[in-house]
Amino acid sequence: MALVGSGSALPATSISNQELSQRVATDDGWIRSRTGIGARRVAGPAESVTSLAAAAGRAALERAGWQPNDLDLLLLATSSPDDLFGTAPRVQAALGATNAVAFDLTAACSGFLFALITAAQYLRTGAMQRVLVIGADQLSRWINWDDRSTCVLFGDGAGALALRSCPLDEDGLVAFRMRSDGSRNACLTLAQVDDQQPLLGDLTAQVGGFRSIQMNGQEVYKFAVREVPAVLAELLEGSGIDAHQLDWLLLHQANQRILDAVADRFAVPHERVLSNLASYGNTSAATIPLMLDEAVRDGRIQPGHLIASSGFGAGLSWGGALLRWHGPAG
Ligand code: ACO
């Protein structure tokens, strides 16, 4: 699997910490010192997971030099779909990717990494030749804006990667690991409301709908600083790669303190840790491709660069991947 093109899209509206403090009892100093976040984008009435994912996907296709109908598969990682039956087909239609099968994959903040690894299986078996993987979330839909412990953390956005099959010795997915632990599910949920309506006699039926995001921040923090270094250490050891050979550390953007703790564990200089938390906060499945696209476009990530990536979050789920950026040439 070669990583050949990236794209991203963000809602037009940005809300600063200062502005948010007019809504809940918080302040810029608290949010920045605890999380590194300075602002977040929030989707307006004309924006959606579909529109953001399609814009990011279109940009990735253009950078790869592909037409929409070149695609065999469109995988959309999202936990805030426009349609629970699947949002990927809407994105497929918006792009005009008529030859692609399109479906959603849900794994919260690990979603993009899990989707990328899933795409690699289709490409490596030869079943597919060209795949678009998109991570897009609109968690602003599911935030309790009166809960200061969660509303300051999240934002909306989308990022995409164009992937194609390639000879094994050029494979850009150098190594990967994926993990789940449902016994710790309660740490971070976006769960169904438990609401029953009378149906017939004594029978009731559940009314659909979701509660807002519930999070035990400290438990999630401890989970991240324990599991992310462990999975990355396993990957590096298993591949015979030393941390100093990494060009970039590209972690799920949840909290600057988590990024710094992981970087310190591997003695990766902080200038090689990619972060855009200050501008966008935690955009869930979008953070990794959004950050990657930004660093490709501004020239930090160059063809041949080795990137250690890790996604982690609700599920609980987490994983890691060593990636080599290919770029559109060749
Ligand atoms: N502004 C001001 N004060 C606040 C705010 C806020 N926005 N939020 C909480 N506080 C207060 C609390 O009420 C508490 O006050 P108290 O001591 O009087 O009770 C105090 O600050 C400390 O609260 P803690 O929750 O202990 O703060 P902590 O240092 O743990 O930081 C944080 C909270 C930033 C949420 C941290 O725990 C964290 O980053 N956790 C990881 C979260 C994460 O990464 N989640 C996403 C995973 S990705 C996914 O799958 C969606």
PDB file of all heavy atoms in Angstrom, residues 30-50:
ATOM      1  N   TRP A  30      -6.644  27.891  31.579  1.00  0.00           N
ATOM      2  CA  TRP A  30      -6.904  26.504  32.017  1.00  0.00           C
ATOM      3  C   TRP A  30      -6.842  25.567  30.811  1.00  0.00           C
ATOM      4  O   TRP A  30      -6.160  24.538  30.849  1.00  0.00           O
ATOM      5  CB  TRP A  30      -8.274  26.384  32.702  1.00  0.00           C
ATOM      6  CG  TRP A  30      -8.468  25.052  33.405  1.00  0.00           C
ATOM      7  CD1 TRP A  30      -8.265  24.811  34.735  1.00  0.00           C
ATOM      8  CD2 TRP A  30      -8.862  23.805  32.820  1.00  0.00           C
ATOM      9  NE1 TRP A  30      -8.509  23.478  35.013  1.00  0.00           N
ATOM     10  CE2 TRP A  30      -8.876  22.837  33.855  1.00  0.00           C
ATOM     11  CE3 TRP A  30      -9.189  23.391  31.531  1.00  0.00           C
ATOM     12  CZ2 TRP A  30      -9.210  21.502  33.645  1.00  0.00           C
ATOM     13  CZ3 TRP A  30      -9.528  22.054  31.321  1.00  0.00           C
ATOM     14  CH2 TRP A  30      -9.543  21.131  32.367  1.00  0.00           C
ATOM     15  N   ILE A  31      -7.565  25.932  29.749  1.00  0.00           N
ATOM     16  CA  ILE A  31      -7.657  25.016  28.604  1.00  0.00           C
ATOM     17  C   ILE A  31      -6.276  24.825  27.968  1.00  0.00           C
ATOM     18  O   ILE A  31      -5.859  23.698  27.672  1.00  0.00           O
ATOM     19  CB  ILE A  31      -8.666  25.532  27.550  1.00  0.00           C
ATOM     20  CG1 ILE A  31     -10.049  25.715  28.177  1.00  0.00           C
ATOM     21  CG2 ILE A  31      -8.758  24.569  26.373  1.00  0.00           C
ATOM     22  CD1 ILE A  31     -11.072  26.413  27.277  1.00  0.00           C
ATOM     23  N   ARG A  32      -5.537  25.921  27.760  1.00  0.00           N
ATOM     24  CA  ARG A  32      -4.217  25.801  27.120  1.00  0.00           C
ATOM     25  C   ARG A  32      -3.250  24.996  27.977  1.00  0.00           C
ATOM     26  O   ARG A  32      -2.530  24.140  27.475  1.00  0.00           O
ATOM     27  CB  ARG A  32      -3.611  27.184  26.857  1.00  0.00           C
ATOM     28  CG  ARG A  32      -4.115  27.802  25.581  1.00  0.00           C
ATOM     29  CD  ARG A  32      -3.383  29.097  25.281  1.00  0.00           C
ATOM     30  NE  ARG A  32      -4.131  29.873  24.329  1.00  0.00           N
ATOM     31  CZ  ARG A  32      -4.036  29.722  23.011  1.00  0.00           C
ATOM     32  NH1 ARG A  32      -3.193  28.856  22.500  1.00  0.00           N
ATOM     33  NH2 ARG A  32      -4.761  30.466  22.199  1.00  0.00           N
ATOM     34  N   SER A  33      -3.235  25.263  29.293  1.00  0.00           N
ATOM     35  CA  SER A  33      -2.229  24.582  30.116  1.00  0.00           C
ATOM     36  C   SER A  33      -2.573  23.099  30.297  1.00  0.00           C
ATOM     37  O   SER A  33      -1.675  22.263  30.380  1.00  0.00           O
ATOM     38  CB  SER A  33      -2.097  25.275  31.478  1.00  0.00           C
ATOM     39  OG  SER A  33      -3.322  25.177  32.169  1.00  0.00           O
ATOM     40  N   ARG A  34      -3.867  22.739  30.317  1.00  0.00           N
ATOM     41  CA  ARG A  34      -4.234  21.322  30.504  1.00  0.00           C
ATOM     42  C   ARG A  34      -4.263  20.528  29.209  1.00  0.00           C
ATOM     43  O   ARG A  34      -4.172  19.304  29.242  1.00  0.00           O
ATOM     44  CB  ARG A  34      -5.622  21.202  31.146  1.00  0.00           C
ATOM     45  CG  ARG A  34      -5.784  21.853  32.479  1.00  0.00           C
ATOM     46  CD  ARG A  34      -5.077  21.055  33.572  1.00  0.00           C
ATOM     47  NE  ARG A  34      -5.207  21.756  34.850  1.00  0.00           N
ATOM     48  CZ  ARG A  34      -5.769  21.243  35.922  1.00  0.00           C
ATOM     49  NH1 ARG A  34      -6.227  20.018  35.905  1.00  0.00           N
ATOM     50  NH2 ARG A  34      -5.847  21.944  37.028  1.00  0.00           N
ATOM     51  N   THR A  35      -4.475  21.224  28.064  1.00  0.00           N
ATOM     52  CA  THR A  35      -4.705  20.473  26.812  1.00  0.00           C
ATOM     53  C   THR A  35      -3.885  20.958  25.614  1.00  0.00           C
ATOM     54  O   THR A  35      -3.730  20.225  24.651  1.00  0.00           O
ATOM     55  CB  THR A  35      -6.189  20.578  26.375  1.00  0.00           C
ATOM     56  OG1 THR A  35      -6.457  21.921  25.951  1.00  0.00           O
ATOM     57  CG2 THR A  35      -7.139  20.231  27.507  1.00  0.00           C
ATOM     58  N   GLY A  36      -3.432  22.205  25.622  1.00  0.00           N
ATOM     59  CA  GLY A  36      -2.762  22.779  24.451  1.00  0.00           C
ATOM     60  C   GLY A  36      -3.730  23.339  23.421  1.00  0.00           C
ATOM     61  O   GLY A  36      -3.318  23.860  22.384  1.00  0.00           O
ATOM     62  N   ILE A  37      -5.032  23.239  23.713  1.00  0.00           N
ATOM     63  CA  ILE A  37      -6.037  23.684  22.733  1.00  0.00           C
ATOM     64  C   ILE A  37      -6.292  25.194  22.878  1.00  0.00           C
ATOM     65  O   ILE A  37      -6.417  25.706  23.988  1.00  0.00           O
ATOM     66  CB  ILE A  37      -7.364  22.894  22.927  1.00  0.00           C
ATOM     67  CG1 ILE A  37      -7.119  21.400  22.650  1.00  0.00           C
ATOM     68  CG2 ILE A  37      -8.477  23.445  22.007  1.00  0.00           C
ATOM     69  CD1 ILE A  37      -8.249  20.488  23.118  1.00  0.00           C
ATOM     70  N   GLY A  38      -6.352  25.866  21.701  1.00  0.00           N
ATOM     71  CA  GLY A  38      -6.616  27.308  21.714  1.00  0.00           C
ATOM     72  C   GLY A  38      -7.934  27.659  21.046  1.00  0.00           C
ATOM     73  O   GLY A  38      -8.546  28.690  21.344  1.00  0.00           O
ATOM     74  N   ALA A  39      -8.377  26.802  20.108  1.00  0.00           N
ATOM     75  CA  ALA A  39      -9.616  27.056  19.354  1.00  0.00           C
ATOM     76  C   ALA A  39     -10.076  25.744  18.746  1.00  0.00           C
ATOM     77  O   ALA A  39      -9.327  24.755  18.746  1.00  0.00           O
ATOM     78  CB  ALA A  39      -9.359  28.077  18.246  1.00  0.00           C
ATOM     79  N   ARG A  40     -11.305  25.737  18.260  1.00  0.00           N
ATOM     80  CA  ARG A  40     -11.847  24.546  17.590  1.00  0.00           C
ATOM     81  C   ARG A  40     -12.809  25.022  16.518  1.00  0.00           C
ATOM     82  O   ARG A  40     -13.383  26.115  16.633  1.00  0.00           O
ATOM     83  CB  ARG A  40     -12.535  23.559  18.555  1.00  0.00           C
ATOM     84  CG  ARG A  40     -13.849  23.974  19.158  1.00  0.00           C
ATOM     85  CD  ARG A  40     -13.724  25.022  20.258  1.00  0.00           C
ATOM     86  NE  ARG A  40     -12.969  24.581  21.423  1.00  0.00           N
ATOM     87  CZ  ARG A  40     -12.136  25.349  22.116  1.00  0.00           C
ATOM     88  NH1 ARG A  40     -11.980  26.639  21.809  1.00  0.00           N
ATOM     89  NH2 ARG A  40     -11.468  24.892  23.144  1.00  0.00           N
ATOM     90  N   ARG A  41     -12.979  24.210  15.462  1.00  0.00           N
ATOM     91  CA  ARG A  41     -13.948  24.533  14.411  1.00  0.00           C
ATOM     92  C   ARG A  41     -15.264  23.845  14.726  1.00  0.00           C
ATOM     93  O   ARG A  41     -15.280  22.698  15.179  1.00  0.00           O
ATOM     94  CB  ARG A  41     -13.442  24.056  13.053  1.00  0.00           C
ATOM     95  CG  ARG A  41     -12.123  24.691  12.613  1.00  0.00           C
ATOM     96  CD  ARG A  41     -12.291  26.168  12.330  1.00  0.00           C
ATOM     97  NE  ARG A  41     -11.021  26.775  11.945  1.00  0.00           N
ATOM     98  CZ  ARG A  41     -10.649  26.975  10.676  1.00  0.00           C
ATOM     99  NH1 ARG A  41     -11.464  26.650   9.685  1.00  0.00           N
ATOM    100  NH2 ARG A  41      -9.470  27.525  10.418  1.00  0.00           N
ATOM    101  N   VAL A  42     -16.353  24.548  14.434  1.00  0.00           N
ATOM    102  CA  VAL A  42     -17.684  23.972  14.667  1.00  0.00           C
ATOM    103  C   VAL A  42     -18.512  24.112  13.395  1.00  0.00           C
ATOM    104  O   VAL A  42     -18.622  25.208  12.827  1.00  0.00           O
ATOM    105  CB  VAL A  42     -18.379  24.667  15.871  1.00  0.00           C
ATOM    106  CG1 VAL A  42     -19.804  24.168  16.040  1.00  0.00           C
ATOM    107  CG2 VAL A  42     -17.586  24.412  17.149  1.00  0.00           C
ATOM    108  N   ALA A  43     -19.074  22.990  12.934  1.00  0.00           N
ATOM    109  CA  ALA A  43     -19.827  22.981  11.675  1.00  0.00           C
ATOM    110  C   ALA A  43     -21.077  23.849  11.773  1.00  0.00           C
ATOM    111  O   ALA A  43     -21.790  23.824  12.775  1.00  0.00           O
ATOM    112  CB  ALA A  43     -20.215  21.545  11.327  1.00  0.00           C
ATOM    113  N   GLY A  44     -21.323  24.614  10.712  1.00  0.00           N
ATOM    114  CA  GLY A  44     -22.527  25.442  10.619  1.00  0.00           C
ATOM    115  C   GLY A  44     -23.630  24.684   9.898  1.00  0.00           C
ATOM    116  O   GLY A  44     -23.447  23.524   9.504  1.00  0.00           O
ATOM    117  N   PRO A  45     -24.779  25.337   9.694  1.00  0.00           N
ATOM    118  CA  PRO A  45     -25.950  24.648   9.112  1.00  0.00           C
ATOM    119  C   PRO A  45     -25.691  24.066   7.720  1.00  0.00           C
ATOM    120  O   PRO A  45     -26.312  23.065   7.346  1.00  0.00           O
ATOM    121  CB  PRO A  45     -27.017  25.755   9.042  1.00  0.00           C
ATOM    122  CG  PRO A  45     -26.518  26.874   9.875  1.00  0.00           C
ATOM    123  CD  PRO A  45     -25.054  26.731  10.062  1.00  0.00           C
ATOM    124  N   ALA A  46     -24.791  24.671   6.948  1.00  0.00           N
ATOM    125  CA  ALA A  46     -24.553  24.176   5.588  1.00  0.00           C
ATOM    126  C   ALA A  46     -23.442  23.126   5.549  1.00  0.00           C
ATOM    127  O   ALA A  46     -23.066  22.661   4.470  1.00  0.00           O
ATOM    128  CB  ALA A  46     -24.201  25.343   4.670  1.00  0.00           C
ATOM    129  N   GLU A  47     -22.895  22.784   6.728  1.00  0.00           N
ATOM    130  CA  GLU A  47     -21.781  21.825   6.763  1.00  0.00           C
ATOM    131  C   GLU A  47     -22.218  20.546   7.476  1.00  0.00           C
ATOM    132  O   GLU A  47     -23.110  20.575   8.326  1.00  0.00           O
ATOM    133  CB  GLU A  47     -20.586  22.453   7.478  1.00  0.00           C
ATOM    134  CG  GLU A  47     -20.006  23.624   6.692  1.00  0.00           C
ATOM    135  CD  GLU A  47     -19.095  24.532   7.525  1.00  0.00           C
ATOM    136  OE1 GLU A  47     -19.377  24.744   8.724  1.00  0.00           O
ATOM    137  OE2 GLU A  47     -18.126  25.043   6.960  1.00  0.00           O
ATOM    138  N   SER A  48     -21.573  19.448   7.127  1.00  0.00           N
ATOM    139  CA  SER A  48     -21.946  18.144   7.701  1.00  0.00           C
ATOM    140  C   SER A  48     -20.748  17.210   7.575  1.00  0.00           C
ATOM    141  O   SER A  48     -19.748  17.563   6.932  1.00  0.00           O
ATOM    142  CB  SER A  48     -23.122  17.556   6.920  1.00  0.00           C
ATOM    143  OG  SER A  48     -22.714  17.319   5.582  1.00  0.00           O
ATOM    144  N   VAL A  49     -20.880  16.014   8.143  1.00  0.00           N
ATOM    145  CA  VAL A  49     -19.821  15.005   7.955  1.00  0.00           C
ATOM    146  C   VAL A  49     -19.664  14.724   6.464  1.00  0.00           C
ATOM    147  O   VAL A  49     -18.549  14.640   5.944  1.00  0.00           O
ATOM    148  CB  VAL A  49     -20.149  13.718   8.745  1.00  0.00           C
ATOM    149  CG1 VAL A  49     -19.218  12.580   8.354  1.00  0.00           C
ATOM    150  CG2 VAL A  49     -20.047  13.984  10.243  1.00  0.00           C
ATOM    151  N   THR A  50     -20.796  14.631   5.755  1.00  0.00           N
ATOM    152  CA  THR A  50     -20.728  14.351   4.317  1.00  0.00           C
ATOM    153  C   THR A  50     -19.980  15.448   3.575  1.00  0.00           C
ATOM    154  O   THR A  50     -19.072  15.161   2.777  1.00  0.00           O
ATOM    155  CB  THR A  50     -22.156  14.227   3.726  1.00  0.00           C
ATOM    156  OG1 THR A  50     -22.859  13.204   4.436  1.00  0.00           O
ATOM    157  CG2 THR A  50     -22.115  13.898   2.246  1.00  0.00           C
TER     158      THR A  50
END
